[in-house]
């Protein structure tokens, strides 16, 4: 549902908005400017708050989300801040919930094999034919040791035949049902969450073979993109027909590293864009907004993502070179934003540093009338004190909205 509410005077760009306002040039986008008077908005549900945020309409307060590591939650629980079994997202009043992650592993009948194990790591061969080494003592990205699929021939032999038919085992019916029911009970905005084609391809063939393929055999990678998008849509059609559609889509696509995206904008447009557009169009056909999570430096890809149908950009990793105010100046009349606050300031547990970072990053967006969801630029590690996280959430809800 959407909130009616009074006119706040916020400019919301080309996707709606109402009331008296002015639009002034601020760089590459028209920019968003709020009027001098900001009438109070009636209290909203999380569903209304998130929907309005994604549509860049007025909200009563900034919606929030948290992503603490498992070890962070364990620390806070040990210190007595969380009860045993207490839901951490609900504890902090998170405005959205997610569920429904599909299983994109190629061969679901393959039982993973342990190839090597030490006190600290374990090396396995999985149903994608990938050899991945994971740490046992702490959370981390797995080390890519080797892959069976490295080119078109191995793709056609070892992966594609497993990815073309509907297989109900890929669909977490019960998990989606329970998450959706819980969100409805709490009146939280509910997103189907899962990976897009870029994040489906690299667990199969690794970044190196995938990116080299984009340069040397782009038709092969385009075929993988569209195969995975078809796989996703075909299975989501079944899931939503039986369990009901979500309020939004939350699509994970880590397409950058420090200072650079993994591909040029031209390569994105030629190879990945068609798959994104088809997936995002499917979401929009259901009335769902599309939130795209992408770690790393992806600013050069944002225009293409917007054209594909992205409604909100999530993460905006500061240490990779992303800057929320810059992104807002360029794209704030077309998309909402989610995150962008340097998590390293929270790790410092220094309130002055945190205040300065929040003011610098959040105020231009909120006071400029943009859509914004409070979150750090990454997940939150165990160095962050519970009191720091509580302070961040409570201050962020009202920052710039008085």
């Amino acid at each position: 549902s959407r909130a009616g509410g009074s006119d706040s005077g916020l400019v919301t760009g080309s996707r709606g908005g109402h009331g008296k306002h002015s639009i002034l040039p601020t760089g590459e986008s028209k920019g968003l400017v709020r009027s001098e008077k900001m009438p109070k908005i009636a209290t909203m549900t999380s569903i209304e708050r998130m929907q309005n945020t994604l549509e860049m309409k007025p909200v009563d307060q900034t919606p929030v989300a948290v992503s603490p590591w498992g070890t962070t939650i364990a620390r806070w629980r040990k210190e007595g801040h969380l009860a045993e079994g207490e839901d951490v997202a609900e504890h902090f009043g998170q405005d959205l919930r997610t569920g429904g992650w599909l299983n994109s592993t190629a061969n679901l009948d393959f039982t993973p094999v342990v190839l090597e194990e030490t006190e600290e790591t374990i090396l396995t061969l999985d149903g994608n034919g990938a050899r991945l080494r994971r740490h046992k003592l702490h959370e981390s990205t797995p080390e890519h040791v080797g892959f069976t699929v490295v080119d078109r021939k191995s793709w056609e032999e070892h992966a594609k035949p497993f990815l073309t038919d509907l297989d109900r085992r890929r669909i977490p019916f019960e998990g989606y049902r329970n998450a959706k029911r819980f969100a409805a009970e709490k009146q939280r905005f509910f997103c189907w969450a899962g990976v897009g084609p870029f994040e489906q391809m690299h667990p199969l063939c690794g970044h190196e073979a995938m990116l080299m393929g984009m340069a040397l055999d782009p038709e092969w990678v385009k075929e993988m993109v569209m195969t995975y998008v078809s796989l996703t849509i075909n299975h989501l059609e079944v899931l939503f027909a039986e369990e009901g559609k979500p309020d939004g889509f939350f699509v994970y696509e880590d397409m950058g590293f420090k200072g650079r995206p993994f591909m040029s904008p031209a390569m994105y447009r030629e190879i990945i864009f068609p798959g994104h557009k088809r997936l995002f169009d499917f979401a929009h056909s259901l009335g769902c907004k599309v939130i795209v999570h992408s770690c790393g430096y992806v600013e050069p890809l944002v225009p293409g993502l917007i054209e594909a149908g992205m409604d909100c950009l999530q993460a905006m990793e500061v240490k990779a070179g992303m800057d929320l105010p810059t992104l807002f100046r360029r794209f704030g009349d077309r998309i909402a934003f989610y995150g962008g606050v340097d998590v390293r300031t929270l790790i410092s547990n220094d309130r002055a540093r945190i205040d300065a970072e929040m003011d610098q990053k959040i105020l231009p967006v909120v006071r400029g009338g943009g859509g914004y969801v409070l979150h750090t630029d990454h997940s939150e590690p165990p160095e962050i004190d519970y009191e720091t996280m509580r302070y961040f959430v409570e201050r962020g809800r009202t920052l710039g909205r008085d």
Side-chain angles (χ1 to χ4, degrees):
S1 61
R2 301 179 184 176
S6 58
D7 177 14
S8 75
L10 295 180
V11 178
T12 57
S14 60
R15 297 196 183 188
H18 51 275
K20 297 178 181 179
H21 55 257
S22 60
I23 302 178
L24 302 177
T26 56
E28 294 187 32
S29 75
K30 292 180 179 179
L32 308 177
V33 181
R34 76 174 184 175
S35 66
E36 294 181 1
K37 191 176 181 180
M38 293 285 291
K40 183 175 177 59
I41 299 170
T43 300
M44 294 177 168
T45 67
S46 291
I47 298 171
E48 294 167 337
R49 190 175 297 125
M50 279 296 302
Q51 191 69 45
N52 273 28
T53 295
L54 295 176
E55 293 179 356
M56 295 176 292
K57 292 180 179 178
V59 292
D60 60 335
Q61 60 184 22
T62 298
V64 305
V66 297
S67 301
W69 296 10
T71 48
T72 311
I73 296 171
R75 176 198 164 186
W76 293 345
R77 184 163 286 135
K78 183 178 180 181
E79 293 173 347
H81 303 297
L82 297 170
E84 192 63 37
E86 183 179 5
D87 186 286
V88 68
E90 284 303 309
H91 180 88
F92 285 102
Q94 180 163 296
D95 286 281
L96 73 158
R97 309 290 303 201
T98 63
W101 197 288
L102 299 177
N103 187 340
S104 299
T105 301
N107 186 353
L108 297 181
D109 294 315
F110 182 84
T111 302
V113 177
V114 176
L115 303 177
E116 174 187 290
E117 186 169 8
T118 69
E119 291 184 359
E120 297 183 351
T121 65
I122 183 168
L123 175 65
T124 59
L125 176 67
D126 64 21
N128 282 324
R131 298 186 297 283
L132 303 175
R133 179 178 285 112
R134 291 179 169 85
H135 283 276
K136 296 162 62 177
L137 305 180
H138 59 83
E139 298 170 274
S140 68
T141 301
E143 176 189 353
H144 291 183
V145 177
F147 297 89
T148 303
V149 174
V150 293
D151 55 23
R152 179 188 293 273
K153 183 177 184 298
S154 51
W155 152 256
E156 292 176 346
E157 181 178 353
H158 296 287
K160 186 178 179 181
F162 297 105
L163 298 170
T164 55
D165 295 330
L166 183 71
D167 190 328
R168 292 178 64 89
R169 293 177 296 172
R170 298 190 182 280
I171 306 173
F173 289 100
E174 183 177 1
Y176 178 87
R177 182 186 312 126
N178 292 339
K180 189 172 184 293
R181 181 189 301 121
F182 185 87
E185 290 172 355
K186 300 294 184 180
Q187 291 190 298
R188 305 302 190 191
F189 188 86
F190 179 67
C191 287
W192 169 79
V195 289
F198 190 85
E199 286 288 326
Q200 289 170 306
M201 289 188 296
H202 74 70
L204 178 78
C205 59
H207 284 88
E208 184 175 345
M210 176 179 63
L211 297 172
M212 289 296 290
M214 291 176 74
L216 302 177
D217 190 358
E219 291 303 317
W220 163 50
V221 182
K222 278 195 271 187
E223 181 180 290
M224 287 200 294
V225 168
M226 299 312 289
T227 298
Y228 277 115
V229 168
S230 294
L231 177 86
T232 298
I233 292 174
N234 291 343
H235 286 78
L236 289 183
E237 285 177 337
V238 173
L239 175 62
F240 298 159
E242 297 187 21
E243 303 295 341
K245 71 179 185 65
D247 299 311
F249 274 42
F250 199 120
V251 182
Y252 291 83
E253 289 283 62
D254 288 346
M255 295 186 293
F257 55 104
K258 188 172 184 178
R260 297 286 188 277
F262 278 117
M263 71 212 82
S264 69
M267 191 170 281
Y268 167 80
R269 184 169 295 278
E270 177 190 0
I271 299 172
I272 308 295
F273 173 88
H276 279 168
K277 188 167 192 327
R278 187 178 171 211
L279 180 60
F280 300 169
D281 282 351
F282 170 68
H284 291 153
S285 75
L286 301 172
C288 295
K289 294 292 186 180
V290 176
I291 302 168
V292 176
H293 163 96
S294 195
C295 285
Y297 185 76
V298 295
E299 184 175 338
L301 306 183
V302 171
L305 283 162
I306 293 173
E307 187 178 338
M310 176 181 70
D311 298 293
C312 178
L313 178 63
Q314 198 270 337
M316 295 168 288
E317 196 172 3
V318 176
K319 59 184 171 291
M322 298 289 278
D323 180 67
L324 176 57
T326 299
L327 293 162
F328 175 66
R329 285 194 299 271
R330 293 190 63 189
F331 311 113
D333 60 341
R334 287 169 281 174
I335 59 171
F337 302 94
Y338 180 150
V341 177
D342 193 341
V343 73
R344 293 173 296 183
T345 62
L346 273 72
I347 292 172
S348 76
N349 295 299
D350 182 325
R351 298 286 174 90
R353 283 187 62 188
I354 295 167
D355 285 352
E357 174 71 5
M358 293 177 75
D359 291 352
Q360 179 187 354
K361 300 296 173 63
I362 297 172
L363 286 178
V365 182
V366 172
R367 288 181 173 168
Y372 180 71
V373 180
L374 179 72
H375 194 271
T376 63
D377 68 337
H378 212 272
S379 48
E380 294 92 34
E383 292 83 2
I384 298 174
D385 294 342
Y386 170 84
E387 292 81 5
T388 294
M389 198 71 206
R390 171 62 69 185
Y391 176 79
F392 173 70
V393 168
E394 291 180 354
R395 183 171 190 262
R397 278 198 181 277
T398 58
L399 183 63
R401 297 197 182 277
D402 49 5

